[in-house]
Amino acid sequence: MLKPESFAAGKWIAPDDKARAVHGPVDGKLIAQAGGAGLDVQAMLDWARLTGGPALRAMTFHERAKMIKAVGQYIAERKEELYALNPLTGATRRDGGVDIEGGIGTMMVIAGKGRREMPDGHVYVDGAPEALSRDGSFLGQHICVPMQGVAVHINAFNFPVWGMLEKLAPTLLAGMPAIVKPATQTCYLTEACFRMIIESGLLPEGAVQLVIGGTGDMLDRLTPQDVVSFTGSADTALHLRANPALMRNSVRFHSEQDSLNATILGPDATVGTPEFDAFIKETANEITTKAGQKCTAIRRIIVPDSAMKDVSEALMERLSKTIIGDPADDSVRMGALASAAQKEDVLGKLRALSGETIRLTGDPETLDLVGAGPDGAFLAPTLLQCDDPDAAQAVHELEAFGPVSTLMPYRDLAHAAQLANRGGGSLVASLVTGDPEVARQVVLDSAAWHGRLYITGRNSTKAATGHGSPMPHMVHGGPGRAGGGEELGGIRGVMHYMQRTAIQGGPDVISAITGQWIPGAPEIEGPDHPFQRTFREIRIGETLHTESRTVTLDDIEHFAHFTGDTFYAHMDEEAAKANPFFPGRVAHGYLLLSFAAGLFVQPDPGPVLANTGLNSLSFQKPVSPGDSIKVRLTCKRKTQRTDTYGEVAWNATLTNQDDEQVAEYELLTMVSYDRPE
């Protein structure tokens, strides 16, 4: 008997005699007792806000990213313990892989994004500075900082591991503590993973807590600095959103809800094409994976009217080969629904849909099960057909959250998009086509109604990630029925747990707050050439002012013939003068960059390992023969990359003999922490 425990204010709390009985979906037997024990909700909130939050905010983004990566690795090393529990949820090992491996992978991606795309500091800089005065002495800058409350995560039953980890990773990276509330039906798997996180000792105290069972009056106690992130049904989301404290305090509420996702078969994807085969395979996979219990599963199959017969026959043939039964059996392709109650809910939705559809497959309760008896929550894959989707309403409003999908015809692409949009907002819609123009039309007609559009054809099918697979790099959410929110999306997901604030002040103030040098901020003169200083030694604002170099006509002509760039502005005086941008023959922009490097580079071996890039290059004023240029090279920001070297970004500004700016760019160098032996 499993007895998952809550983790509240640093203590594990076992279920008591009021615990809820959890029956297994495979045989209906009692497998767990969960919840019931009273929790000191205020103590949990205080522990998060007063202990976990300050500890996380004291860390830099990179320190938190390293922590998240280490946690992901710790779980990965013990994942077989999670796979051992996975069949109890009704899921096969393949289904469990989506949940367990997907959760771990999401943590690793978010951690990597934090290291690559966020600063090694405490303030995230959002965009470039805005000039608020003519002389540049007063600027504006958007920044993001961690919110100073707690994130309450309320997760659904279908992904007990991924659902937790995909919310935890961006929350912790933002620097915010979290309280996790999993669905009771599968909470034992969440608790097993959560226990690993605590036992790892990698997170500071108060960073994470776990509620098994009800949250009590926790939502009533939330403040404007707190966040609620919810995954589940639209009805439950509506109930939670209506909490007076959430509305009164403008508590952020992010909702990712089940939706009537659609897939569209392009008119070019006829029988015998790679697109048709991919469509059938993907659709059948979405109906059967997790027994159809995915918020991204395909609920409506929209195909050309002329293809209805071909698609229905191909789908029924493929679905008929699905092996159903005990998910612990390696031969089984589809396991049980999460519970007997979930099975009854799906059957009820099938009855409600029967007025607008015909069932193409057999009785969903008549199954030939492998390794399982009749008491489990099993249903066969069920394919419905709606011949008049324009007149229908239920197929666009009711979701049978199981292995059920409805086939319907469209007249033309505009009609196909219209049908997809009638779901009222979805997490994902997919299109299978080999024609880019078909894809363009569908996107323009329907993107506003879907959080993600998954488009695949013969050129991308092998590498494509799948209709129902939210990727941590891309946003996961959708408008309307889908909740109106979003998760993941790389750093976008982190921003949900941070406050965007506009700061205004002088360049010195903005630079001090952001940890990044900007023009007008103080410059520091180093004791020697900056390329002879280690990553640790270089300071933000450290500046080198070079000598001048005169650009001659011989320089320009030599560069033109040597590189082959004989553009008329460099070689033909009359033609150059006829161009309103040039006073006559001018130097090549890349010649100026080469001369700039020659002015600021220190040639001796030193800590600088490599020049790795150049960003935001712009030319402001042409340089004519006889003009001279000089360079101001300033350390703009520093970013740790490994334990032995880091990236230094330099602001390089080129000016002429009249101190007029002629070019500017950002130079990236990798610099060692230590001096070479």
Side-chain angles (χ1 to χ4, degrees), residues 7 11 19 55 172 201 582 615:
F7 185 73
K11 298 179 181 179
L172 294 174
F582 304 122
N615 295 326

Side-chain angles (χ1 to χ4, degrees), residues 137 302 332 427 445 459 554 593:
S137 64
I302 303 171
V332 168
L427 297 173
D445 288 345
N459 295 328
D554 287 342
L593 295 187

Side-chain angles (χ1 to χ4, degrees), residues 372-425:
D375 297 327
F378 295 97
L379 285 177
T382 303
L383 182 63
L384 307 177
Q385 179 170 312
C386 176
D387 291 321
D388 189 359
D390 291 325
Q393 288 187 329
V395 295
H396 304 300
E397 296 175 357
L398 298 179
E399 180 183 25
F401 202 72
V404 179
S405 195
T406 302
L407 180 65
M408 57 188 70
Y410 72 80
R411 296 182 297 274
D412 52 35
L413 284 179
H415 186 220
Q418 180 187 35
L419 292 176
N421 298 347
R422 281 195 61 189

Side-chain angles (χ1 to χ4, degrees), residues 4 128 147 210 213 268 319 386 523 647:
M147 297 185 70
L210 179 69
D268 57 301
L319 292 174
C386 176
E523 299 175 13
E647 179 184 83

Side-chain angles (χ1 to χ4, degrees), residues 20 154-158 160 181-188 190 212-213:
R20 172 181 158 184
I154 303 173
N155 297 324
F157 68 83
N158 49 342
K181 162 62 177 83
T184 303
Q185 181 62 35
T186 54
C187 66
Y188 49 86
T190 305
I212 300 297

Side-chain angles (χ1 to χ4, degrees), residues 22-90:
V22 178
H23 294 270
V26 177
D27 55 16
K29 294 181 180 179
L30 184 66
I31 60 171
Q33 291 179 330
L39 301 176
D40 188 338
V41 170
Q42 190 59 52
M44 295 181 70
L45 295 172
D46 290 344
W47 201 54
R49 294 169 181 154
L50 303 178
T51 301
L56 287 169
R57 294 194 296 273
M59 304 168 69
T60 67
F61 290 111
H62 282 206
E63 288 171 337
R64 295 194 287 263
K66 289 180 181 179
M67 175 186 71
I68 294 166
K69 179 179 179 180
V71 171
Q73 291 172 330
Y74 188 90
I75 297 171
E77 292 168 358
R78 293 157 180 80
K79 64 183 179 183
E80 288 304 322
E81 298 175 31
L82 304 178
Y83 275 114
L85 291 174
N86 177 67
L88 294 177
T89 70

Side-chain angles (χ1 to χ4, degrees), residues 315-330:
L315 270 178
M316 285 190 291
E317 180 183 2
R318 191 173 186 94
L319 292 174
S320 68
K321 298 176 181 178
T322 304
I323 300 173
I324 307 168
D326 184 353
D329 189 313
D330 290 340

